[in-house]
Amino acid sequence: MIRLGAGSLDRIVAVGAHCDDIAIGAGGTLLAMCHARPGLRVDALVLSGGGGDREQEEQAALAAFCPGADLRLTVHKLPDGHLPAHWEEAKAAVEELRARTEPDLVLAPRTDDAHQDHRGLAKLIPTAFRDHLVLGYEIVKWDGDLGRPAAYQPLSPEIAEQKVRLLQEHYPSQRHRPWYDREAFLGLARIRGIECHERYAEAFAVTKLTLNLGG
């Protein structure tokens, strides 16, 4: 298993179509990075859920998932499930985010995600973050769209358990969903861990990656 580090990581961007997307798809990675790099700047953007209980959930959740980080979160009010109809607003939000940060890493949905909001946001990211490493996180759902990821972030058992605990603690509005439970989150992490010879892991799609193997 070849392991390539991302070098110095001082700033990252994390984007989601909905409140809880970032935490579900990359919560363990955020925890691992923030524990390892106190003071890491995290610019987070969520396109829907603003102005209500969902935004409050997201504020508290991402603060917990990014301990010790310089977290800057923006939550917009685009209607859930209708991003394609609000393309210009979504694009403007992504471009506004790009204008205020120069990240070392971008965490975003996968371009082949079955949910139209996730997929739409994923397609917007490379139009603004053209020369950045973008890792596309995965979200388990009834569509059955999980594929064969190209990149893995191993998670210690402690981080994996912490991720599941924080998801349950900070998103009470989602607990009624049949897929929103410990078995689903920890089970997927276990499968991805098997695939990279670790106990647990989060997995990501990579559409373009420039290597610096001779440096």
Side-chain angles (χ1 to χ4, degrees):
M1 176 69 67
I2 298 175
R3 296 174 182 266
L4 299 177
S8 176
L9 289 172
D10 300 313
R11 295 188 175 198
I12 69 169
V13 157
V15 299
H18 317 100
C19 295
D20 77 18
D21 285 355
I22 295 170
I24 292 174
T29 297
L30 286 174
L31 283 167
M33 292 176 65
C34 290
H35 282 310
R37 300 172 176 83
L40 176 71
R41 175 167 165 176
V42 180
D43 287 278
L45 170 68
V46 179
L47 293 182
S48 66
D53 292 342
R54 292 284 277 149
E55 180 175 358
Q56 294 179 15
E57 286 183 346
E58 189 75 341
Q59 289 278 0
L62 289 191
F65 275 101
C66 301
D70 177 11
L71 174 64
R72 307 181 186 194
L73 170 63
T74 302
V75 183
H76 287 271
K77 299 181 180 180
L78 273 63
D80 187 351
H82 297 276
L83 186 149
H86 296 266
W87 188 257
E88 291 302 323
E89 296 170 70
K91 184 174 177 61
V94 170
E95 290 177 344
E96 179 184 341
L97 172 65
R98 175 66 182 94
R100 66 174 185 265
T101 186
E102 182 63 48
D104 303 302
L105 171 66
V106 180
L107 300 171
R110 297 177 298 125
T111 55
D112 57 351
D113 193 295
H115 193 296
Q116 68 271 17
D117 291 356
H118 301 171
R119 189 171 61 252
L121 175 56
K123 291 179 178 179
L124 280 172
I125 293 302
T127 69
F129 296 92
R130 294 180 175 273
D131 299 308
H132 301 79
L133 174 59
V134 179
L135 298 181
Y137 57 74
E138 56 185 358
I139 297 178
V140 65
K141 62 179 75 67
W142 74 271
D143 305 81
D145 64 352
L146 298 180
R148 299 184 64 181
Y152 297 85
Q153 170 59 49
L155 304 178
S156 68
E158 293 78 16
I159 290 290
E161 291 283 357
Q162 185 180 9
K163 172 184 175 177
V164 173
R165 178 177 58 79
L166 292 178
L167 286 172
Q168 293 290 344
E169 177 181 341
H170 287 287
Y171 295 105
S173 67
Q174 304 305 297
R175 292 175 189 157
H176 69 283
R177 300 185 181 276
W179 55 267
Y180 196 91
D181 59 30
R182 170 186 170 82
E183 289 180 307
F185 299 133
L186 210 55
L188 179 58
R190 180 68 185 111
I191 291 171
R192 296 317 189 196
I194 290 171
E195 293 173 351
C196 66
H197 295 168
E198 299 284 349
R199 183 65 183 174
Y200 298 107
E202 285 178 338
F204 302 90
V206 181
T207 54
K208 185 180 291 187
L209 174 64
T210 300
L211 303 177
N212 181 21
L213 302 180

